Amino acid sequence: MRILFANNFFGPFGGAENVMWDEANLLQRQGHDVHFFATDRKPYFIPNYENAHFFPAYADFRNVSTWDKLKRMSRIFYNREAEERLTGYLRYLKPDLVHVHNLHYHLSPSILAACQREAVPVVMTLHDIRMICPSASLTESADFRGLCNTGNPLICMKKKCKNGSLSETLVSVAEYYANRRHSLYQSVRMFITPSAALLELVSRFGIPRAQLMHINNFIDPQLVKQAATCAEDSREQGYFLYVGRLSREKGVQYLLQAMRRLPDVHLKIAGSGPYEAELKALALALNLQNVEFLGFKDKVSVSTLLAECRATVLPCNWFENLPLSVIESLAFAKPVIASRVGGLPEILDQGRCGLLVEPGNVEQLADALADLTRNPQKARTLGLAGQVRAREVYSEERHLEQLLALYGRLVSQSATKRQLQPC
């Protein structure tokens, strides 16, 4: 089968890119012909990628003048260059199917119009909730005050949900309305949701259940083997670990406030992001001698940190879908202390593989950290249950089986439809 993956970026810039790349490699190992379409932002996963001449230009909206932002603004709503280049690519490549990951702001839904015109079936993985929430956070404001379930994007403007900026929120809301007006998403044959929670949510906001399929992300089997070896070595040092992007919605500020109550508990924070300076300033203001900021760490370093920690923590205050950091923690037999929101309860099997706390509740977070500090055997029991779940539920074999079944069904339906069309 010839599959074209489409995503804003063809490089290691975030979780969606890594999921796409792992998925593509999995399919290639099974003998499928895999290709890629993205903007020309570098570095690429494959240096000097042979089909990169089809990639449209990447538009930087952050580090440019206001005038340049205005000139590039139309690309957010409908990127005609992306549409034209993908049209040429599809005619050259003739793929059986296009699998879209992220397209907002850069490729834009214009690429869906190209696929529809060329009669190529489209599958799209929803990595976040941008289709139903302009800020892709589903929180009423930067500080968690409960999920916004009204479906009214004007609340985003009132609360400045996009990075606390009215101008950025206006753009997000405008893009949201433009996408709904064009109805381009109707050309997507099937949406994949990595969590059951996301499937339930988007179905309530208008996507028919017949167009939704829940397929979990998977863990690299090499990581699973490495995790098993580390578990046998038992190198635990008793500290807690946060791994991920340092942004406000991840809730690390609540974790720092909880650590103030636990001076004898040690926390390591691995990651970087736009909220890093504020978090370091908060740690300084709270005089936290028990918190260590490690900065960005590669996969090898993260594996070592996971092997040696007592548990990981994800105290987010937004709709977290299915973060790889959590299922990788389970693979290392490490329990997770996480917010009871989004897909996190289902990953942790409703608390059987970790501890769940209410988002933004510093007291509950501190109690959970103290509980696993006092009870290392409890942490071990939860972690081992998580390791079993990671192997059974988030395996590449299960992911591949479900994905190929979906691909095969859609390609077959597309072929039948073409045969029935009059000459």
Side-chain angles (χ1 to χ4, degrees), residues 16 20 55 83 118 131 163 170 179 182 272 279 315 330 341 352 379 393 395 420:
M20 178 195 72
F55 291 4
E83 179 186 14
E118 298 301 314
M131 285 185 64
N163 298 326
L170 277 169
N179 291 339
H182 287 299
S272 60
L279 290 172
L330 298 185
V341 68
R352 295 181 181 89
V393 178
S395 70
L420 293 176

Side-chain angles (χ1 to χ4, degrees), residues 166-199:
L166 180 59
S167 60
E168 289 189 47
T169 304
L170 277 169
V171 172
S172 297
V173 170
E175 187 219 15
Y176 175 88
Y177 277 122
N179 291 339
R180 294 188 65 173
R181 185 172 66 85
H182 287 299
S183 300
L184 291 173
Y185 289 107
Q186 291 181 6
S187 61
V188 176
R189 298 283 294 279
M190 187 68 69
F191 293 97
I192 294 173
T193 66
S195 69
L198 181 60
L199 187 150

Side-chain angles (χ1 to χ4, degrees), residues 34 39 45 57 62 74 97 127 132 156-157 162 175-176 185 188 203 208 213 242 253 265 310 330 334 344 347 374 408:
V34 176
T39 63
F45 283 117
R62 293 186 181 273
S74 62
L97 177 138
H127 291 276
I132 62 173
C156 284
M157 292 174 58
K162 187 67 174 178
E175 187 219 15
Y176 175 88
Y185 289 107
V188 176
S203 68
M213 184 173 182
Y242 169 85
Q253 62 271 27
V265 176
R310 170 68 55 84
L330 298 185
K334 304 297 179 176
L344 294 174
I347 301 174
R374 292 190 303 265

Side-chain angles (χ1 to χ4, degrees), residues 216-385:
N216 288 315
N217 292 334
F218 65 94
I219 311 174
D220 182 345
Q222 294 302 317
L223 184 72
V224 174
K225 291 179 182 178
Q226 181 186 0
T229 302
C230 291
E232 291 174 2
D233 292 345
S234 187
R235 308 198 312 249
E236 194 215 296
Q237 295 182 11
Y239 61 81
F240 291 86
L241 176 67
Y242 169 85
V243 179
R245 178 175 165 82
L246 299 183
S247 51
R248 191 170 179 84
E249 69 275 3
K250 292 293 186 179
V252 180
Q253 62 271 27
Y254 306 124
L255 181 54
L256 295 180
Q257 291 165 17
M259 292 300 294
R260 186 184 189 183
R261 306 181 180 200
L262 305 165
D264 295 328
V265 176
H266 190 67
L267 169 70
K268 294 187 178 185
I269 297 174
S272 60
Y275 201 42
E276 185 173 355
E278 286 86 344
L279 290 172
K280 288 181 176 179
L282 177 60
L284 186 64
L286 296 175
N287 193 29
L288 297 178
Q289 305 297 316
N290 54 344
V291 175
E292 186 178 357
F293 286 87
L294 306 177
F296 173 80
K297 293 294 180 181
D298 60 22
K299 285 188 175 182
V300 175
S301 299
V302 169
S303 294
T304 300
L305 290 167
L306 284 170
E308 296 175 351
C309 73
R310 170 68 55 84
T312 62
V313 193
L314 183 54
C316 60
N317 64 332
W318 72 326
F319 189 98
E320 195 73 63
N321 189 7
L322 194 142
L324 287 175
S325 62
V326 174
I327 57 177
E328 288 173 357
S329 178
L330 298 185
F332 274 83
K334 304 297 179 176
V336 183
I337 299 172
S339 298
R340 193 187 304 274
V341 68
L344 294 174
E346 71 187 74
I347 301 174
L348 300 182
D349 199 14
Q350 305 303 325
R352 295 181 181 89
C353 310
L355 302 179
L356 294 167
V357 300
E358 294 306 312
N361 192 315
V362 174
E363 183 177 356
Q364 285 187 14
L365 191 54
D367 288 345
L369 290 163
D371 185 11
L372 295 190
T373 299
R374 292 190 303 265
N375 301 294
Q377 187 54 49
K378 179 178 181 179
R380 182 68 175 159
T381 300
L382 291 170
L384 289 173

Side-chain angles (χ1 to χ4, degrees), residues 386-402:
Q387 190 174 57
V388 172
R389 182 167 176 78
R391 289 171 177 171
E392 292 179 352
V393 178
Y394 303 106
S395 70
E396 68 169 10
E397 292 83 7
R398 180 171 178 169
H399 182 92
L400 181 66
E401 180 183 359
Q402 292 177 304

